[in-house]
Amino acid sequence: MMVVKTFVCNMLDENCYVVSDDSRECIIIDCGAFTDEEKRAIVDYITSENLKPVHLIATHGHLDHNFGNKMVYDTYSLRVEVGSADVAMIGNARKHAKSFYHYDLGYDLPPVGNTITDGDIITFGNHSLEVISTPGHSAGSACIYCKEENMLFSGDTLFRTSIGRTDLGGGSMMQIIQSLRRIAQLPDNTTVYPGHGIKTTIGYELKFNPFMDR
């Protein structure tokens, strides 16, 4: 059984997930930890649960989902894995911090490790996760799906009764609608863990999200 621990991070209330199983291996998805307290909470949880992080995954390259990448690299020697179209965003993190947050990040984020693409399988412990390419919020956006556990980590592609914005660089309303139609094919009981806000299900979104349709 997978265990999902949620940490709400930074000024945009971004969801960072630490996902583990009985093997004690874990993956970190979208580490947006910004403050020292947020970073310490994630490390303390991993330590207290005796977990071993083996992957750092970003559903996309926006900085609010990657503020904590340096902490993860410094602590666990893991480099972020992200869609190739969003690699440049992470490389330009200091510029984006100035432009969007009026903040001097003060350091570069570690270089991207592996790039992820549609159909890739990410393994940890006793589980396998599938990468589903879902461009639209950004060009390199992806969702992470575990069929065995009926779980989808949707980043900023899908929120409860809403979707991610498409007016930033690399965004496309046409593409995100196509991406939503793709993930709408997942079983109704699939639990969706979004990049912001509370969790939902595919079935709930098909009923109440005006952007979701099969």
Side-chain angles (χ1 to χ4, degrees):
M1 183 181 74
M2 286 204 317
V3 176
V4 180
K5 177 68 173 178
T6 306
F7 298 87
V8 180
C9 298
N10 66 60
M11 61 289 287
L12 296 185
D13 290 340
E14 178 268 347
N15 292 329
C16 169
Y17 298 105
V18 177
V19 185
S20 59
D21 68 13
D22 293 343
S23 73
R24 316 315 295 176
E25 288 191 346
C26 71
I27 63 170
I28 304 170
I29 299 176
D30 287 350
C31 191
F34 179 70
T35 67
D36 289 342
E37 290 79 10
E38 291 166 356
K39 296 171 185 176
R40 186 161 54 248
I42 293 170
V43 172
D44 286 351
Y45 171 77
I46 290 171
T47 301
S48 68
E49 296 298 315
N50 194 30
L51 301 178
K52 178 185 177 182
V54 294
H55 291 283
L56 170 63
I57 309 297
T59 58
H60 61 290
H62 290 156
L63 185 54
D64 58 313
H65 291 251
N66 292 277
F67 273 122
N69 290 3
K70 185 175 187 300
M71 177 273 290
V72 174
Y73 179 72
D74 290 345
T75 308
Y76 305 110
S77 301
L78 295 177
R79 293 184 177 180
V80 72
E81 302 168 47
V82 69
S84 59
D86 282 7
V87 169
M89 285 190 199
I90 293 175
N92 291 322
R94 295 182 72 170
K95 176 182 177 181
H96 291 306
K98 281 282 191 181
S99 300
F100 291 103
Y101 302 98
H102 308 290
Y103 175 76
D104 183 4
L105 189 59
Y107 53 85
D108 293 320
L109 295 183
V112 170
N114 295 326
T115 55
I116 56 176
T117 191
D118 190 59
D120 280 355
I121 301 298
I122 298 167
T123 60
F124 78 98
N126 304 313
H127 286 83
S128 296
L129 309 175
E130 179 185 355
V131 176
I132 303 175
S133 179
T134 53
H137 177 64
S138 70
S141 285
C143 294
I144 309 300
Y145 176 55
C146 181
K147 181 178 181 179
E148 178 186 356
E149 301 277 357
N150 288 322
M151 292 180 181
L152 181 77
F153 298 89
S154 64
D156 287 2
T157 297
L158 176 63
F159 303 136
R160 188 176 186 271
T161 70
S162 189
I163 63 173
R165 60 190 293 182
T166 60
D167 60 334
L168 301 174
S172 165
M173 178 59 76
M174 181 179 295
Q175 284 189 325
I176 204 170
I177 293 300
Q178 292 172 341
S179 294
L180 291 166
R181 286 176 179 164
R182 185 175 183 194
I183 61 177
Q185 305 306 312
L186 297 176
D188 285 3
N189 64 346
T190 302
T191 302
V192 179
Y193 293 89
H196 303 266
I198 63 175
K199 66 183 180 181
T200 184
T201 66
I202 292 294
Y204 185 91
E205 297 312 305
L206 284 167
K207 287 183 179 180
F208 299 110
N209 191 325
F211 299 97
M212 284 283 281
D213 186 15
R214 280 183 173 147

